[in-house]
Amino acid sequence: MGQEDDSHLLGGTAIKPKGWDRKGMEAFKYLLYNPETGEVLTRTPLSWLKIIVFYIVYYCFLAGFWAACLVIFFLTLPPAEEGPKWTLDSSRIGSNPGVGLRPRPSDERIDSQMFFLKRSSNNMESSEDGEGDLNIDYAVRMKNNIEKYYGKQDGEEELELCEENRLRNPGEPACKFDFEELGACKDYPYGFVNQGEEANINPCIFLKLNKIIDWKPTPILPESLENDEFNDMTDELKEIIKNAEDPNQIWFDCKGRFAADKEILDMTFFPDTQGIPIKYFPFQGGRYEPPLVAVRINVNEDETTTGQLIHVQCKAWFEGVKHANREKAGMVMFEVTFQKDHQSDE
């Protein structure tokens, strides 16, 4: 028998490729360039040319497809001055605004709607940027919010107070919010700090409607208050609406969620009408000062129990409002607890 070829059958099924036994530097040199086949990095020049052309065409197609999608996207956008294309019921937001709460929680507790307060505090030194749990931190966060969204802003003209309570016309500037309407809750530190260790705080919590562009609220007619849709409205608010000099308002009321909360909860609203005039609507984009209603929790009463978690539910009222606990549509819920420990600035 003659000498067997290197590519003889192994077990009758596998064939050893030529050069299979190369090792070390020899194998590496053949990887870079194979003089027998002309391969460079395991591919012939023709193979490299084909794959390079393929990927050039492939990525040119992807870039062209992306550019075409981007052009179509920008062609469908309305001019900035016209606002969004889809609004109100045509949009995902709809025409049933949620109720916002201020002061906001700290960044660390961004998902919480709980106010954890000391029953008495005269400490006026806050954490950095108010990002803490001291009573004064809540006041600082509210102050920062007012400085950011209210008053004259850099490069913009200050809004003016509106005397006539009517909906704004298209293109008409928004109305400046009048903080005098908030009475005892208009000034820093908004009741979160008291004077003297014997006194108690009376914190002010602020309610606002989330902005929906071009949303025009329809006020509730006093004669419709007996309808079933208003059964959950408090009797106090119904009396206010019936006796209101100007019924063109969006109304707010708050109450304890459970029997124990209702028993101890004592609140004062500012303004006492518990309403936001419709002159602040609709929001049309641009410079805007969200109107507020303040709810002061009165702690200077023996009935306010120290350490008890008080559950509060606040609702907005206008014609066609829908309240949903899960989505917080047309309403907001929060908790307040008062601890006995005194926070001193000493």
Side-chain angles (χ1 to χ4, degrees), residues 79-205:
E81 59 273 11
E82 294 182 9
K85 182 175 182 178
W86 307 109
T87 60
L88 301 175
D89 291 332
S90 299
S91 70
R92 293 294 301 273
I93 297 176
S95 56
N96 193 56
V99 178
L101 204 62
R102 296 293 182 272
R104 63 169 182 80
S106 63
D107 291 342
E108 184 179 356
R109 308 183 192 280
I110 193 65
D111 293 328
S112 173
Q113 296 279 50
M114 180 176 176
F115 292 81
F116 191 85
L117 302 169
K118 300 299 182 184
R119 188 183 180 108
S120 178
S121 172
N122 61 8
N123 176 25
M124 294 296 289
E125 292 193 15
S126 69
S127 308
E128 185 176 358
D129 294 326
E131 292 295 327
D133 294 322
L134 299 174
N135 285 22
I136 191 63
D137 290 331
Y138 290 92
V140 169
R141 292 198 292 271
M142 186 63 204
K143 181 181 178 182
N144 292 341
N145 178 267
I146 291 175
E147 290 176 349
K148 182 177 181 180
Y149 295 106
Y150 299 84
K152 188 174 182 179
Q153 306 294 318
D154 293 338
E156 296 182 347
E157 293 185 4
E158 188 171 2
L159 298 177
E160 297 181 358
L161 294 173
C162 300
E163 297 296 332
E164 185 180 1
N165 185 23
R166 58 170 177 81
L167 294 172
R168 300 295 95 190
N169 295 320
E172 191 175 7
C175 296
K176 179 181 178 59
F177 178 67
D178 187 3
F179 275 89
E180 294 299 322
E181 296 288 334
L182 300 182
C185 288
K186 68 183 176 67
D187 294 322
Y188 180 84
Y190 318 110
F192 286 96
V193 177
N194 61 273
Q195 299 298 322
E197 190 168 346
E198 297 300 324
N200 293 318
I201 65 171
N202 286 308
C204 295
I205 297 170

Side-chain angles (χ1 to χ4, degrees), residues 12 25 46 52 118 123 219-220 228 253 268 311 317-318 346:
M25 186 56 69
L46 181 60
I52 289 172
K118 300 299 182 184
N123 176 25
I220 297 172
D228 292 342
D253 67 358
T268 303
H311 304 80
W317 292 99
F318 50 86
E346 298 178 358

Side-chain angles (χ1 to χ4, degrees), residues 238-251:
K238 288 182 179 180
E239 285 301 314
I240 289 175
I241 296 175
K242 290 177 181 178
N243 300 319
E245 294 182 6
D246 186 357
N248 293 320
Q249 313 262 346
I250 297 175
W251 311 97

Side-chain angles (χ1 to χ4, degrees), residues 119 200-202 264-268 296-306:
R119 188 183 180 108
N200 293 318
I201 65 171
N202 286 308
I264 66 172
L265 189 59
D266 180 32
M267 298 174 293
T268 303
R296 187 179 69 187
I297 310 295
N298 299 319
V299 187
N300 290 328
E301 303 290 342
D302 295 335
E303 289 78 8
T304 306
T305 306
T306 300

